[in-house]
Structure formats: C-alpha cells, structure tokens
Amino acid sequence: MTFSLAGRCARTGMLGAIVTTSSIAVGSRCQHAAAGVGAALTQHMTDPRLGPLMLDLLKRGYTAQQAIDAAAAGTPRGDWRQLALIDREGRTASFSGANVQPELAEAHGRDCVALGNIVRSKEVPDAMVRAFEADPEAPLAARLIAALKAGDEAGGEFKPLVSTALVVVHEHAFPYVDLRVDSDPDPIATLARLWREYEPTADLYVTRATDPDTAIANRPKQS
C-alpha cells in the first residue's frame, strides 16, 4: 500500500526520493538519500535500516544492483521487502520479495526507478516514470511531485492516502529539501503546496548554513 520513486537530476546532480501511503509517518521509514551517493527506497513490511545500508554500500563501491542484492539477502525475511536504489550516475536497481502483496510493480526510466505495492494497477510505477521523465529541465523536487501525482491518477492505493514525504540532496550532508505531510486528507496536494512555498527559500537556507556573511549581506533591507 505504498508507491514511490527515486530520481536524479542529470543537470544539477541532485538526488531525491518521494513516497506516499495510507498510513501515517511514511517519511520516517521509507525514503533515504545521500548527496553524491544515491537515493534509496524501502517499503512493504518496511525495514528502515535498509535505506542507509544500501547507501553505505554504494559509498563502499558496490554497484546499485550489488547493493540491492546484499540488502535483500541480509535483511530478516527479505521475501517481505520491496526496495529500489539509484546511484549518482543514474543507474538503478530494484527488488520485490516473493511475499510482497499485489498489485505490485517496478519500473525503471531515465535517471529514475519507481515501486508500488498493494496498488490498484501495475501501471502506477510506469505512470510515475513517464511523468518524471517528461520535463528534465524542471527542478528535481517538482519532477518528483509530478511523478507522485501521476501514480495517484493511474490508480494509486485502495485506501485513502494520508502521508507523503519528499527528500532532495545536493552538495552537503544536510538535505536541500526535506518535506513531510501526515494525517492529511490530500497529502500529495499539500506536499505540492509546501514545495511551492519552500522553493523560493531553498537556496537561502543553504547559504545561511554555509556562508552566513553572504546571507546577511543579501538580506532584504527594511523599508
């Protein structure tokens, strides 16, 4: 009962992931990203340890496929897990254990990989990939949100969605964007609104962290 996508912006090198589900606090469990490394998804009887594990394996020189294989083999009851991974070059891998519940599907595209389980249609991940690929010049966060909307429009879940989460990383250890929505009757729309509000300030918050003097110098003057 989750659908998600991990993606990369070839233009900027940003990496990110987005996920939604009918249970609360999906952002605390399912999506992970590390700047210059990759983005990972772990869902269905979710083991939140697997996202950081897959990213660590990428750092150690594993390919995306090798990292997925190692994570699936190393987790207790890997037959219940659904995983996806993209590396900094846009190479992808995915895994669905034998006990992942239908409808389930995986889809790979240019600089992206999508997953779905307990969704209305196997088309959900394919629709997400198409939407993500549609506008490669758009900001990565906007492309990820467009993908999630497309997955919902392609059938989405059987139960009402209540939570969603978006993470994007760029050049630093902290996220460029980290937005979460919980207990909301329309979490995808709310996430899209939050991104519209946050987008004009995203670069500013990076500058405040890395170069406070410049941030102060560029602060709007009081009239």
Side-chain angles (χ1 to χ4, degrees):
M1 56 181 184
T2 304
F3 53 101
S4 58
L5 183 140
R8 167 184 174 265
C9 176
R11 177 173 51 84
T12 64
M14 288 184 180
L15 295 152
I18 195 164
V19 59
T20 190
T21 190
S22 55
S23 58
I24 195 170
V26 69
S28 68
R29 301 186 298 273
C30 295
Q31 94 289 2
H32 308 266
V37 178
L41 299 165
T42 171
Q43 59 193 50
H44 194 275
M45 298 297 179
T46 306
D47 184 344
R49 297 169 294 183
L50 299 183
L53 172 61
M54 289 186 285
L55 294 175
D56 182 62
L57 292 173
L58 286 182
K59 290 179 186 178
R60 291 162 55 186
Y62 283 54
T63 67
Q65 190 61 58
Q66 288 169 338
I68 282 269
D69 291 344
T75 180
R77 298 305 306 271
D79 51 324
W80 286 101
R81 318 302 184 185
Q82 191 176 45
L83 311 172
L85 185 62
I86 186 168
D87 71 13
R88 63 185 181 183
E89 302 298 330
R91 295 169 293 214
T92 60
S94 59
F95 169 82
S96 295
N99 284 332
V100 176
Q101 299 298 294
E103 295 288 342
L104 69 104
E106 309 165 8
H108 298 251
R110 185 177 180 84
D111 290 317
C112 66
V113 57
L115 297 175
N117 67 75
I118 318 180
V119 290
R120 291 182 181 274
S121 168
K122 289 180 177 289
E123 169 69 9
V124 169
D126 288 325
M128 295 179 73
V129 165
R130 288 194 297 270
F132 181 85
E133 293 177 330
D135 188 2
E137 297 302 312
L140 181 58
R143 297 173 67 191
L144 292 168
I145 292 169
L148 208 63
K149 289 180 179 177
D152 193 36
E153 291 168 358
E157 282 196 40
F158 293 94
K159 295 181 180 180
L161 300 172
V162 300
S163 72
T164 187
L166 164 71
V167 63
V168 173
V169 293
H170 193 198
E171 297 172 334
H172 304 286
F174 56 87
Y176 180 74
V177 182
D178 188 355
L179 299 174
R180 303 180 183 188
V181 177
D182 288 300
S183 292
D184 191 286
D186 194 352
I188 298 176
T190 299
L191 182 66
R193 175 181 60 79
L194 292 176
W195 164 243
R196 290 193 298 271
E197 292 179 12
Y198 190 78
E199 183 179 13
T201 67
D203 289 330
L204 172 62
Y205 285 118
V206 174
T207 303
R208 286 181 176 180
T210 60
D211 189 358
D213 291 334
T214 297
I216 288 294
N218 292 336
R219 188 170 59 184
K221 299 287 192 298
Q222 295 290 335
S223 59

